[in-house]
Amino acid sequence: MAIYLFAISIVFTMFVARRKKIRVLSPYGIFIVFQVLYNLMPWVVASSGVTSTLLSLLSETRFIDIQLVLSAIANMCFGLVYLFFYRPVPFSEPPRTISPNARKNYLLCAFPLFLVLCLLCHQYGWHQLTHAGIETGEAIESLGGMFTVTAYFKFFFVSVYLYYLYRFGLDKGAWILLSEHVLVLIIDGARATFVPVFLVTLFILIDKISNPRKLKAIYILALGGFLLSMLTRALVFENSSLLQGVVVPVTVEGTMGDYSSLQSIQGMEQLPNPHYTLGANYLLDPIFWLVPRAIGREGLLFFDRWTAGLAPILSDRFAPMGGFYYVSEAVAAFSYVGPPIVTLLFAFSLIWVDQHKNMYRILYFAWMPTIGLMFVKVPFANGFKLFLVQFLGMCLLKAMGRYKIVLPRKPMTSIASPRREVLP
């Protein structure tokens, strides 16, 4: 019964997408894809009769059915918000009054950063970090400060690309910078920074296209980008085939990422007095997440208190294989009504940011690749931290341009000759 209710909710979201002319390559479509992935994979595993001593909840059909029902209600809420409040707002082009040398100078300044990042990722990238964690069994945080430096340098280089989109738009220079991010992806092996900015690029590109043939080309480009991001994992793990490199990440993401929500549902069902966060994990945890781990961040986070309270009933540690699904945090906040409430707020925020993307462009480019697209699969506090890093990075670049460190402050019209202005 639960799977049929979930299927009906997906059909409803598809109806809304058709009614409001929302494409698959959109924040709306990405959310629905994640919803299908994180709910369908556990149901398939449970229905197949496969059992696991490590992941015992994947055979607990009762908890899986509860999640299906909660996600179905969340889907209905998400679709209803878009049905009544969404209206398409196309991207506006940035001002064309910037000196042509500014684009060239910006790309030249970004290239040394790209080279440094390649060296860092080769020595301290995701593939090195993962192999170190597998071989030594140590926590990622204990592997050395250079891994953290590399991660933040990678975030800043994402800001470099996003600021280019903000200032110059999607032109040849933007594709050059995105190509550099592709090379970083291949060297580093992590998808978490590349896929969101790749999707935002496609959002901008698809907004300019009306020819159906060109739309098909964009979807083929999107498929190619996703396959590339998958194949980088196969290159990192040398003992896996290319087919495994594509299929395994999807199945693992759908089952391991979802597992944390099943554990929160188990706690909601079996704990005698669950200590719900009542929304503090969304309001206060983003602030506490900025506190360095070395000085006791875990003791401040409300969601960590919730996961610690689950210990007496869990047969294994919380999220034993990593991964995350937002239903886990929503349940921790407001019990059964958590997923509908949180999804409603998320849908309204998606619409507001999308409809004001031309008014608050830096906000959009910082918010969409982080909270906007990663909300479903990362804890909210972590997503907010990523948003803040991207936002501050772009603000720094804007300040550098204002003081003529990277970009000239005066527009092209102030330096171009009248004869050149009238030429086609």
Side-chain angles (χ1 to χ4, degrees):
M1 181 63 183
I3 188 62
Y4 296 116
L5 181 61
F6 180 78
I8 291 172
S9 72
I10 295 298
V11 172
F12 174 71
T13 58
M14 295 173 64
F15 162 77
V16 173
R18 185 176 181 85
R19 179 71 178 272
K20 306 296 287 189
K21 299 181 179 179
I22 305 173
R23 298 185 178 97
V24 176
L25 279 177
S26 65
Y28 182 94
I30 299 302
F31 176 83
I32 299 305
V33 168
F34 275 127
Q35 287 291 83
V36 172
L37 176 65
Y38 286 129
N39 287 278
L40 192 59
M41 287 305 303
W43 179 81
V44 169
V45 172
S47 300
S48 65
V50 177
T51 58
S52 171
T53 56
L54 177 62
L55 305 171
S56 59
L57 293 184
L58 290 178
S59 59
E60 293 287 344
T61 56
R62 180 167 178 266
F63 298 146
I64 293 175
D65 286 344
I66 291 175
Q67 178 182 297
L68 286 170
V69 172
L70 293 177
S71 298
I73 298 172
N75 290 340
M76 299 295 288
C77 294
F78 191 77
L80 285 171
V81 171
Y82 267 79
L83 181 63
F84 290 107
F85 297 98
Y86 174 78
R87 58 180 177 83
V89 177
F91 281 94
S92 64
E93 292 290 336
R96 295 297 182 182
T97 56
I98 301 173
S99 168
N101 289 329
R103 302 168 189 267
K104 180 180 178 181
N105 292 339
Y106 190 88
L107 294 173
L108 291 175
C109 290
F111 188 70
L113 299 178
F114 163 69
L115 295 179
V116 172
L117 180 58
C118 288
L119 292 174
L120 288 174
C121 288
H122 178 70
Q123 295 293 329
Y124 306 102
W126 179 88
H127 60 292
Q128 294 289 350
L129 182 144
T130 302
H131 285 319
I134 292 174
E135 293 172 1
T136 64
E138 297 175 349
I140 289 175
E141 293 80 6
S142 64
L143 295 178
M146 286 304 298
F147 290 99
T148 301
V149 171
T150 301
Y152 278 97
F153 200 94
K154 188 164 55 175
F155 294 149
F156 180 73
F157 195 64
V158 171
S159 298
V160 170
Y161 174 65
L162 294 174
Y163 184 77
Y164 188 96
L165 293 177
Y166 158 78
R167 187 67 186 272
F168 302 111
L170 186 59
D171 59 7
K172 293 180 180 179
W175 290 109
I176 292 174
L177 282 175
L178 186 61
S179 299
E180 293 176 358
H181 278 280
V182 172
L183 294 176
V184 171
L185 167 69
I186 295 173
I187 296 172
D188 182 67
R191 304 187 302 260
T193 52
F194 171 76
V195 172
V197 297
F198 177 66
L199 286 173
V200 170
T201 304
L202 295 180
F203 295 165
I204 300 173
L205 183 62
I206 204 171
D207 201 36
K208 300 179 179 180
I209 303 299
S210 58
N211 189 323
R213 292 184 179 180
K214 292 184 178 180
L215 287 177
K216 290 181 181 179
I218 294 176
Y219 280 97
I220 293 174
L221 176 63
L223 180 60
F226 291 134
L227 289 176
L228 175 64
S229 66
M230 297 296 181
L231 291 176
T232 54
R233 295 296 177 91
L235 295 175
V236 170
F237 297 108
E238 298 176 355
N239 59 342
S240 63
S241 66
L242 293 181
L243 180 61
Q244 289 177 325
V246 175
V247 175
V248 171
V250 176
T251 56
V252 170
E253 180 70 24
T255 52
M256 303 302 103
D258 166 81
Y259 202 75
S260 62
S261 65
L262 295 177
Q263 291 177 308
S264 285
I265 291 172
Q266 182 184 14
M268 180 180 63
E269 287 282 300
Q270 295 183 353
L271 284 175
N273 295 299
H275 296 287
Y276 297 109
T277 66
L278 302 178
N281 53 311
Y282 294 105
L283 298 176
L284 298 179
D285 280 6
I287 300 174
F288 297 147
W289 197 274
L290 302 177
V291 177
R293 185 185 296 270
I295 61 176
R297 180 179 70 194
E298 286 79 0
L300 302 175
L301 298 174
F302 282 85
F303 186 64
D304 280 1
R305 298 179 192 178
W306 164 262
T307 60
L310 298 177
I313 62 167
L314 297 183
S315 58
D316 40 37
R317 65 186 179 88
F318 185 79
M321 303 296 290
F324 188 78
Y325 180 38
Y326 86 105
V327 167
S328 177
E329 199 168 8
V331 165
F334 306 112
S335 186
Y336 290 101
V337 298
I341 291 175
V342 172
T343 306
L344 279 171
L345 295 174
F346 177 62
F348 277 115
S349 68
L350 268 181
I351 292 176
W352 188 90
V353 172
D354 184 75
Q355 293 183 348
H356 292 82
K357 58 191 174 188
N358 297 317
M359 184 180 299
Y360 306 111
R361 296 176 68 88
I362 284 186
L363 175 66
Y364 174 86
F365 283 117
W367 193 89
M368 187 55 66
T370 53
I371 298 176
L373 294 177
M374 304 291 286
F375 173 81
V376 179
K377 65 185 306 295
V378 299
F380 181 76
N382 188 21
F384 181 83
K385 182 195 73 173
L386 296 177
F387 157 76
L388 192 61
V389 169
Q390 304 299 347
F391 182 77
L392 293 178
M394 284 191 284
C395 288
L396 174 63
L397 291 170
K398 184 176 182 180
M400 293 169 66
R402 178 171 297 178
Y403 292 102
K404 303 181 182 180
I405 299 176
V406 176
L407 301 175
R409 185 176 183 180
K410 294 183 179 180
M412 177 64 180
T413 53
S414 64
I415 62 174
S417 66
R419 177 176 297 178
R420 291 179 181 269
E421 291 178 349
V422 298
L423 287 176

